Amino acid sequence: MEDPLTLRHIVTWKLSGESRETRDAQAAEIVAALAPLARTVPSVRALSVHRNELFDGENWDVTLIADFDDAEGLAAYAVHPEHVAAGTVIKGHAVGRVATDFTL
């Protein structure tokens, strides 16, 4: 039997804060909004959120890595009410977003 494929969704945000301290506070709010989705959104297989540690001001600030069974799982996540609420938090702090999706 073949191993099931996994769709990996990676999103990185550049935050609006002018100081490291402000961006740290913004990142903490984003982590607090996204981390629970690993337990509350049924289609999420794995989810982690990371604050950039090196080259502050050059690198982007926060990265989400989430795994799903397939594109349908990602689509279900995108419209889940708790994800939509987390998106509102992110939009309040982010000035840039980049994403990639690929199969493992």
Side-chain angles (χ1 to χ4, degrees):
M1 181 168 106
E2 286 186 37
D3 289 335
L5 299 176
T6 299
L7 179 69
R8 179 151 291 164
H9 175 64
I10 300 176
V11 183
T12 301
W13 296 275
K14 186 74 161 172
L15 302 179
S16 63
E18 293 189 20
S19 69
R20 173 71 189 210
E21 294 76 22
T22 301
R23 289 189 304 278
D24 283 346
Q26 292 173 327
E29 287 183 40
I30 290 170
V31 170
L34 288 171
L37 303 182
R39 297 180 307 278
T40 60
V41 178
S43 63
V44 173
R45 299 295 164 241
L47 184 145
S48 60
V49 189
H50 306 274
R51 173 69 170 106
N52 177 60
E53 298 175 11
L54 301 176
F55 309 109
D56 185 53
E58 295 176 44
N59 289 347
W60 284 37
D61 299 296
V62 180
T63 298
L64 164 79
I65 303 169
D67 291 343
F68 303 88
D69 288 339
D70 49 33
E72 291 79 17
L74 176 58
Y77 165 80
V79 298
H80 190 281
E82 291 182 39
H83 175 261
V84 172
T88 300
V89 172
I90 295 163
K91 288 175 185 173
H93 298 310
V95 294
R97 176 188 182 275
V98 63
T100 189
D101 301 292
F102 55 91
T103 302
L104 298 177

